[in-house]
Amino acid sequence: MRMIVPADRTTAAVELIESTVGTTHLVVLPGVARDPVGDLVMCDTARESADELLHGLRDMRIDQDGSIAVENIDLSMSTRADAAEVEAPGEGADAVIWEQLAEATHEESTLSFTYLSFMGLATMIAACGVVLDNAILIVGAMAVGPEFGPLAGVCTAIVQRAPRLAARSLTALLIGFLSAILATTLFSLLMDWLGLFSDSMLDAERPQTGFIWQPDPFSFVVALLAGAAGTLSLTSSKSGALVGVAISVTTVPAAANAAVALSYGEFAQMWGSIGQLLLNLLGIILAGTATLALQQRLWRTQRGRLKRRLRRG
């Protein structure tokens, strides 16, 4: 962590850092910061201790009158750092840095041109996949879709009781999917005019992609599993797992099938696809929220045990 601390709060900040289990390599450079004016304080902390330390620093309003920057260290060759890691409660992979999670979901759930572009492009790719009954295109569209960011934002907002984040995330989801479906409907009409799409292709047997507009209990089960896995990948910083989550849920393909079906007036397929979409979104939100709530409860229990042990010692 790197902090710019107002001079009148440096002593308190240093005492907090020194009293936080799992923190080491403390450096204090008085008066070197110019914008904002203050002392530069740096330290290394185990991931398990970061959330508690951040809360304490924010209670001192250092984030408002100074600054707090956090970055991961890929390699630290230090006996003291190893000892601090051992002293910290629990395992680093299990720790949730709530401030980091809130910041990440805030960025991912912000309605922007880039977000809408990815949503539209992913849905158009999926539209080609459903018409051609091509599973490779469907998987590609799932990987491109950015919808898990706002979904994670909704889960975080529910657990953290952050109504603004919830409203922003739900707005991004709603507008994102509606705009993607509208754009893909126009895209489908254009492809039909060019002779590349046809209603017979949509109505034909589609063994690879027919499941997209025919939701079943497995759709909800997979959405629950994906929601839990995706949330764990975000909280543990294992972003590689998030790619697997993205290609396991039928959100973008369902929106694409709804758009193509709408362009041809195939309302049965359209409503079936919308049902698939809503079922997947609900499953991800329920599982993601439950996973975060469980992590929060387990981590509070671990920290409580550590504090009681330290008091006894």
Side-chain angles (χ1 to χ4, degrees):
M1 293 187 185
R2 186 187 72 248
M3 295 148 278
I4 296 178
V5 183
D8 62 332
R9 274 164 273 180
T10 300
T11 300
V14 170
E15 289 176 352
L16 173 65
I17 294 170
E18 290 178 332
S19 65
T20 301
V21 176
T23 301
T24 186
H25 300 159
L26 175 62
V27 177
V28 181
L29 300 174
V32 300
R34 293 291 178 266
D35 185 18
V37 175
D39 301 332
L40 181 62
V41 179
M42 296 179 288
C43 69
D44 294 343
T45 181
R47 181 180 176 87
E48 306 92 290
S49 305
D51 190 62
E52 182 179 4
L53 181 56
L54 283 170
H55 276 293
L57 293 170
R58 293 195 69 182
D59 287 342
M60 297 180 189
R61 300 174 60 87
I62 291 176
D63 58 320
Q64 298 181 34
D65 301 325
S67 74
I68 304 173
V70 181
E71 58 183 334
N72 290 320
I73 298 176
D74 295 327
L75 176 64
S76 179
M77 301 177 67
S78 164
T79 302
R80 183 66 193 97
D82 293 340
E85 189 73 33
V86 173
E87 292 169 1
E91 295 294 331
D94 296 334
V96 180
I97 304 177
W98 291 98
E99 300 293 342
Q100 185 182 57
L101 180 61
E103 185 66 25
T105 52
H106 176 278
E107 180 180 351
E108 294 294 328
S109 62
T110 300
L111 194 62
S112 64
F113 173 78
T114 300
Y115 169 79
L116 292 176
S117 297
F118 271 116
M119 282 293 294
L121 293 171
T123 310
M124 291 177 194
I125 293 172
C128 295
V130 298
V131 171
L132 298 174
D133 194 35
N134 188 313
I136 295 176
L137 291 176
I138 294 297
V139 170
M142 287 172 161
V144 172
E147 73 279 6
F148 196 84
L151 287 168
V154 173
C155 299
T156 304
I158 293 173
V159 175
Q160 293 290 89
R161 298 178 182 178
R164 290 185 179 180
L165 177 59
R168 182 169 53 248
S169 300
L170 289 172
T171 299
L173 274 177
L174 180 61
I175 296 180
F177 274 110
L178 287 178
S179 63
I181 290 174
L182 176 60
T184 304
T185 300
L186 298 176
F187 172 74
S188 178
L189 292 172
L190 174 62
M191 295 292 280
D192 179 78
W193 181 72
L194 294 173
L196 299 175
F197 282 9
S198 68
D199 54 351
S200 61
M201 297 170 73
L202 186 68
D203 293 331
E205 289 292 327
R206 289 187 284 146
Q208 298 293 323
T209 60
F211 70 95
I212 291 172
W213 63 279
Q214 297 172 328
D216 57 29
F218 280 104
S219 300
F220 189 64
V221 170
V222 171
L224 289 173
L225 297 174
T231 302
L232 286 173
S233 73
L234 285 177
T235 58
S236 63
S237 297
K238 295 186 181 297
S239 58
L242 195 57
V243 177
V245 172
I247 61 177
S248 63
V249 288
T250 316
T251 49
V252 166
N257 201 86
V260 177
L262 176 61
S263 70
Y264 286 115
E266 296 281 351
F267 296 112
Q269 280 203 41
M270 183 192 75
W271 289 116
S273 301
I274 291 175
Q276 178 78 272
L277 172 61
L278 295 176
L279 195 64
N280 277 268
L281 294 178
L282 177 62
I284 292 172
I285 290 174
L286 287 177
T289 302
T291 301
L292 284 176
L294 178 61
Q295 286 181 294
Q296 185 182 59
R297 185 177 183 85
L298 290 175
W299 198 249
R300 285 177 176 173
T301 301
Q302 280 188 324
R303 286 197 303 185
R305 289 174 180 171
L306 176 66
K307 289 178 179 179
R308 287 193 296 271
R309 190 166 66 246
L310 291 174
R311 283 196 297 266
R312 291 170 188 167

